[in-house]
Amino acid sequence: MSRMSKSELTSAIAGLMEAQPDPTGQVDLVSPKGHIIVAAEVDSLKDAFKRIKKVDGYRWVAINRDDLFAANTLSVGSKAGIVDQTGKVLKAPDLPRKPM
């Protein structure tokens, strides 16, 4: 499968996960399955995982499948799941914890 740009990846994930653009701008998309940040390039992965750590509830980072190796190492400790451009879950998100 060919590499998708950010706009192509955003459109694909929005359709697959029934997501809408986030009106607050905190994340890229909001879905019944959680909040999603789209990272179409390897250079944007670090920022994506940094941003997603601040979000409550289920969290996802959408990537091009070729970037899995880089994304997986950055996902440690983020509690975020990883989904590819086909909607396949590459890493499940951890359950959200209630603030103490």
Side-chain angles (χ1 to χ4, degrees):
M1 178 166 271
S2 65
R3 182 169 202 81
M4 291 185 170
S5 68
K6 182 165 181 163
S7 62
E8 292 170 330
L9 187 55
T10 301
S11 294
I13 294 300
L16 293 166
M17 295 184 77
E18 301 171 3
Q20 301 295 322
D22 181 16
T24 67
Q26 185 179 19
V27 295
D28 296 321
L29 300 168
V30 178
S31 164
K33 298 176 183 178
H35 296 85
I36 306 163
I37 291 183
V38 178
E41 300 295 329
V42 174
D43 297 341
S44 62
L45 288 172
K46 188 173 184 178
D47 182 53
F49 282 103
K50 185 177 178 182
R51 284 177 54 204
I52 204 73
K53 284 182 183 181
K54 299 174 185 172
V55 178
D56 292 330
Y58 283 102
R59 309 170 247 198
W60 298 92
V61 175
I63 64 167
N64 283 297
R65 189 176 182 94
D66 294 343
D67 300 335
L68 178 59
F69 184 74
N72 196 37
T73 57
L74 291 168
S75 72
V76 174
S78 70
K79 304 207 179 294
I82 301 172
V83 64
D84 73 2
Q85 67 268 35
T86 65
K88 183 174 180 181
V89 175
L90 303 175
K91 178 185 177 229
D94 289 343
L95 293 173
R97 297 183 187 188
K98 294 182 181 181
M100 297 177 91

